[in-house]
Amino acid sequence: METAEIQRRWLTYFGDRGHSVVPSASLVSDDPTLMFTVAGMVPFIPYLTGVVPSPFDRATSVQKCIRTLDIEEVGKTTRHGTFFQMNGNFSFGDYFKEGAIGFAWELLTSSEADGGLGFRDSDLWVTVYEEDDEAYELWQKVAGVPTSRIQRMGREDNYWSTGQAGPAGPCSEIYFDRGSEFGPDGGPAVDDTRYLELWNLVFMQYAIDNVRSKVDFDVVGELPQKNIDTGMGMERVAFIKQGVANMYEIDQVRPVLDRAAELSGRKYGADPVDDVRMRVVADHVRSALMLMTDGVAPSNDQRGYVLRRLLRRSIRSMQLLGVKEASFPELFSASKDAMAPAYPEVASEFSRTLSLATSEEESFLGTLEAGTTILDVAVSKATDAGQATLDGDTAFVLHDTYGFPIDLTLEMAEEAGLGVDQERFASLMSEQRDRAKQDAKKKRSQVADTSVYREFRQHGETVFLGYDDLRNESSVLGLIRDGIAVSSVGPGDTAEVILAETTLYPESGGQVADQGTLEAPGVVATVLDVQRPVSGLISHTVHVDQGELAVGQSVEVLVDEPNRRRARQAHSATHLIHAALRDTLGPHATQAGSLNRSGYMRLDFSWTQGLAADQKLEIEAIANRAIHDDLEVSTKVLPIDEAKALGAMALFGEKYGDTVRMVDIGGPWSRELCAGTHVASSAQIGVINLVHESSISAGARRVEALVGMEALSEFSRERELVAGLQQTLKAPRADIPARIDELINQVRQMEKTIESLTQKGLGGAIERLAPTATTYGPVNGVVGRADEVASADDLRHVAQNVLQRLGSGAQLVALGADIAGRATIVVVANSDAVDQGVHAGNLVKESVAVVGGGGGGKPQLAQGGGPDAAGLDKALETLASSLRQL
């Protein structure tokens, strides 16, 4: 049974039984405390916790999820995957334990011909919370499961909570018995490898408090509304139904694994180490494909860093399989073909995602080359010091800072005859993971903070009136100070104000929050920020300047009109620049983020290379022509499917409901889904001055522009700059570029003259030193001073040229110089000298110790120095003596 068919059966089954079928949310979580959607219930948290009233009594979804905490286990077990799909059914005060158990058992055990999943009753086991007698009895009554296959488990395994005070409840899990060849008898309590968890049913029925740990808390009562949250692991069901050994061999993953095997010329199943590498590639390529389809781009922080790590681990694994050249075009194409039947957007966005992937691969292949150089130096130092192992700190820095994979470090160190302190490396990695987990735990703990908004949200959604008006009368529904609801706030207080309606725009869609005031007789509060802490609710953070604000009070809401006007100009300018980018570069130059504030706009877009000067001029010109043409700006609220059919762009990172707001500028030329505020016609923008374009990550660029009066001010500053250049260069405006080129050429010619004179001086040193070669033990060489040089680079240049003059045989040159009051020594030797026991690095270390310094290097080239320039002759004599003793 194909994975897409399991998805279809799931949604059909629950849809036919009165559940609202909810599309998968983006992998980019709405929850500000989560980077990704990590579980199927995440999009439903506001409804399950009661913060936001649920729009449906029962729902079902197949949710895309990403988890990377156990990334090191990927490929080694049957079930660890970074991307997975969680099939869920949810009840919000509707059915409870009996209904959830009945649905789960019927879908699992009904025949495939009847639309079920066709599992045999006898292969399924159930666990319940040890004190949940109700669930224990219902499994027997509703599903007919014998008590011999129902096991009671403790809080550690069968109790769900957020880890904070709030809703919680017992769990019941369904396991599949894979057979005696996978482990001992005795059910999931004995072996969870043989008995594989398929489905988890959470019965959210209690309120808990005084949470001391996952298993230590106080149950303080029953919830007024009992909810159901269940999750069935799609990949686990798929690999059982498809008769394969693990999740990496199912139909959505195996094609990538097979392509990796073909490219490497190695056979899957022949070598356990290679098998793990192929499974890592298969998993990570799929995860990266899905993340990029949802708008994530590789970068060095947050979501982009996780994506970059997945991509780099894939490249690393292909390298260890012997594939040194780029392979992403082949691997990602295989993954696209496998995932598109379930997620059509994978195909429609593939050109953009492949461009991001190949750009990252090209960049990282260069990083691997640079990392190899860094590792070579570290290996050389370890060898010089007589160490048998490379220290774990170096391996960790290479891995964590430079992105150089530990597997390659191990392999290359072994080639140099060194081990790696893996225990220290593992310890540092463990510390890093612990920090990440603690940070994640800290962030998760903030989820419960939204409960303070529950009471206010139950009054309904905050009505936003700001599209048409800049002031309104409203009533204070609630006040929050330091995270706690209060009845009033006074002068000097900073607090959140919940209003019934507002004209103040809350930050969203790249547009910053409005500025303004809340006023009443004797009361003035300055608005510091406006946000949507939960869906449908607008919160105003204010500083109370005078008087007292109280719940139930009437206030006048006043928007700062000049600031709003300039923000509107910037937001509409962003739409124009986006359309101009697509006109100039093509449809793949899609927006990936924006910032619009008074007089300034910033737009990030998908593109792999810097814009040429003529492209930037063209983009700016197209946008300003649209302003000149005074295009009408119109908005319309309509169903999302209808808006998309009209060609409206839905932008990454934005969340849309069934009904959307569509903004047209000049008709279909610029047509986007957008909740922001805009000008009435393009001429009101004034002018756009494109001031900067840069890279923000592989495959993503950023343009920045000034808008309106700020753009005019910048033009004035540039005019003053040009006038100053005219005066300084004594040239008319049109001649300034040529005059600057002329000056640059003059400077370059002077630099060449200086370099030539320097080289002539160095040539004299070479001619003087080469004839002084004499025998030092087993080698012929020159040991002397070269005070003609001005830098260490010059000293190396002279030494290497003298060595070339000495010809064949065992030859060495050791030169010293007083450079800016510091004794500097360089030693170069040919391979024959090294064969005779010469090690340039050791010679330098010994000699520079005389001048109070340090240094070292490889057997054929080394450099060092010290502060005691007066001791240079003694240092060179020490070096010569060491040579004679070889």
Side-chain angles (χ1 to χ4, degrees), residues 616-637:
K616 288 184 279 190
L617 288 173
E618 183 179 0
I619 291 163
E620 185 180 68
I622 291 172
N624 280 299
R625 275 199 299 272
I627 294 173
H628 176 271
D629 292 343
D630 196 16
L631 303 177
E632 180 186 5
V633 179
S634 62
T635 61
K636 185 184 297 184
V637 176

Side-chain angles (χ1 to χ4, degrees), residues 97 140 161 198 310 338 342:
K97 292 182 185 179
Q140 299 169 64
S161 76
L198 296 183
L310 292 169

